[in-house]
Amino acid sequence: MPNIEIILGDITRQAVDAIVNAANCSLLGGGGVDGAIHRAAGPELLAECRTLHGCETGKAKITKGYRLPAKYVIHTPGPVWHGGGYGEEELLRSCYRSCLELAAENGCETVDFPSISTGVYHFPLEKAAPIAVGTIAAFLREHPEIRRVRMVCFDGRTKAFYDRALEELR
Ligand code: AR6
């Protein structure tokens, strides 16, 4: 069984090879987990992000972690939820896959994700959680070089959705 864990915590405090940032297409910072990651990493992160010239929804780009305990930050703009008829589910799947591809290419063995798109982008948690754990599990089966992936949930309600999705996978 792929090594996926669901924890309650602050992703900016995790000493892993890569943390994922639920960014926007500018990659120039914002609120939520994006703001927290930029604050914790320091201004060098924004300076590197400026050299990346943004990112499309569903794709991902990687930077160093600077003052974070994590070695790398993988930035991915998730889809804004517009009701489900605009390819939102496939775009969210693509976020998780793109981040894991970059992690594997950069030799990351441990990767932590936040709950992409379920904050200000309003993707329903009951749909986002099974997409996240299903996509991660499928990737890990093909890429055993990634040893462990965690979903780092910021509140108990979010964690409950991911716990259930993982249980239903097993
Ligand atoms: N650690 C882990 N999870 C966190 C943290 C943290 N420190 N802080 C918040 N979360 P959101 P989105 C959770 O809104 O929906 C930004 O402005 C939060 O509780 O951060 O993808 C970007 O620049 C929620 O469960 O991301 C974009 O413009 C989850 O992270 C936009 O928000 C995602 O919430 C992206 O929206």
Side-chain angles (χ1 to χ4, degrees):
M1 211 42 209
N3 192 355
I4 304 174
E5 292 173 20
I6 317 292
I7 65 165
L8 197 57
D10 178 346
I11 203 165
T12 67
R13 310 287 290 270
Q14 309 306 322
V16 287
D17 292 329
I19 63 167
V20 170
N21 180 15
N24 59 64
C25 291
S26 78
L27 298 186
L28 299 179
V33 69
D34 193 1
I37 288 172
H38 275 273
R39 274 193 302 279
E44 297 93 339
L45 179 61
L46 182 58
E48 184 175 358
C49 283
R50 285 192 200 288
T51 70
L52 301 177
H53 306 293
C55 184
E56 285 172 46
T57 301
K59 304 270 172 66
K61 293 193 178 177
I62 191 165
T63 65
K64 291 187 279 187
Y66 298 97
R67 299 177 200 176
L68 290 164
K71 188 169 177 207
Y72 294 106
V73 180
I74 299 174
H75 307 261
T76 187
V80 178
W81 182 258
H82 289 298
Y86 295 85
E88 294 96 327
E89 299 195 11
E90 188 45 46
L91 285 167
L92 189 63
R93 237 173 252 122
S94 172
C95 285
Y96 283 94
R97 227 170 11 235
S98 302
C99 288
L100 290 168
E101 276 163 10
L102 265 183
E105 283 165 24
N106 286 275
C108 298
E109 297 186 355
T110 52
V111 182
D112 281 6
F113 281 92
S115 177
I116 299 168
S117 282
T118 68
V120 299
Y121 281 0
H122 290 301
F123 204 113
L125 263 172
E126 64 271 21
K127 294 191 194 301
I131 289 171
V133 299
T135 307
I136 293 167
F139 192 92
L140 292 186
R141 278 194 285 271
E142 306 294 322
H143 294 268
E145 69 272 23
I146 298 187
R147 280 196 298 112
R148 187 194 69 195
V149 174
R150 297 189 303 193
M151 292 299 310
V152 181
C153 303
F154 208 44
D155 59 86
R157 177 175 175 267
T158 300
K159 182 174 181 291
F161 278 95
Y162 286 90
D163 281 335
R164 188 175 320 145
L166 187 58
E167 208 123 284
E168 280 167 9
L169 199 71
R170 296 191 154 146

